[in-house]
Amino acid sequence: MTSLSKSLLARRDAVLGPNMSTFYQEPVHLVKGEGVWVWDHDGKKYLDCYNNVPHVGHCHPHVVKAMSDQAATLNTHTRYLHEGIVDYAEKLTATFDDPLNTALLCCTGSEANDVALRMAEAVTGKTGIIVTNHTYHGNTTAVSALSTTNPSKFGKSSHIRHVPAPDSYRPPEGDAGEYFAEQVKAKIAELEDSEHGFAALLIDPFFANEGFPDLPAGFLNATMKVVHDAGGILIADEVQPGFGRTGSHMWGHQYQGITPDVVTLGKPMGNGHPVAGVVTTAAIMHEFRTAFRYFNTFGGNPVSCATALAVLEVIEQEGLMQQAADVGAYAKGRLQELAEKHSVIGDVRGRGMFFGAELVTDRTTKAPATDYILRVIEELRNRGILLNKIGIHYNTLKIRPNLQFTRDDADLLIDTLDQVLSDVQP
Ligand code: PMP
């Protein structure tokens, strides 16, 4: 680590406090980004294969111009009339299937999920929530209580139930979709027997934090029916798969062929600018706005809306969903070829610009290579490739580049991974 990075880390610890995580044993000290590339303060260039926030490319000129033009014209709180939020909400909701045609804007994915929980309470009059047992949905008090990947002993609550995260590499006997629905049904019964009742199932339809298992379209059909039969709602957290990342569809739930009751959005929405949102039916929005008088000072301000609109325009004008489908399929194919050479690769999965491989110490027992993957990621970083790990056993390479990623970038990533898997001994 350079002396400048060392002193920055020390100042950061002193002024921000402990447990402020950084990736890598030797944190990367970035100063600039462009397209799929980022540079550290020492001039070293890295291929960013992880960062789904700069969704249409680091510092995309069209997004930067829209943001700065609006910042130079007007930015204000959100209690005045302004075209920006209406134009954006119309354009955004047009990407959803009926009857998902109203939107609420806020600033983070956590806030979006927090609002979704209140929508569930407003429409059902109940508070019980079901999530998977390996999930993260954000950091408000209500939402962090749902997150099993948050180790805190505080904030646990009796209105939350967990179902096993789907695992396509170690599948249950029988139909995986029916199995998941059965688990949800059992937890609904528990909640209905409690003082809380059942309000909602909250899931990422791509199950990103769970390690993005390979689930066929239709996997959630039985679950959707179970939720609705019980009078609850289904909330789809699209913070990770949304905005065309998976290539075939704009939204993860559309691949699954379901229409959730509430959808939450975040990270990629503003290409790095903090804007997030909730999309739902007019009826649910009406119930929510009647039950809770929601106001968000920054949510949907003119600069956020100009930025978010520019992101949608770039996705459309540059054909980035098609690029996600093409390049993602190519990269995944190359990763599958690597699996023939490196036995540590147990499973390759993902869709579009969200793919990866589960590393195992033994393909028969499927024992997770949890320590090994750390060394692989670290060495990739040393060789200029940024990515990370995820999944139930934290042994899945999480490769989630922005949508400007090309076949040449994929070749560089896979060739470097090939060398690292040869050089770093299990
Ligand atoms: N939902 C999911 C699925 C997430 O992965 C995250 C963040 N990693 C969030 C919600 C929270 O988003 P934010 O950090 O913008 O609050």
Side-chain angles (χ1 to χ4, degrees), residues 108-110 113 136-138 209 237 239-240 267:
T108 66
S110 303
N113 282 324
Y136 178 79
H137 289 290
N209 291 323
D237 179 334
V239 165
Q240 300 224 29
K267 283 183 173 168

Side-chain angles (χ1 to χ4, degrees), residues 104 118-119 121-123 282-294:
L104 172 153
R118 292 162 97 182
M119 285 180 169
E121 185 174 0
V123 292
I284 293 178
M285 188 65 84
H286 179 83
E287 293 276 353
F288 169 73
R289 294 237 184 244
T290 310
F292 300 93
R293 293 182 65 83
Y294 188 80

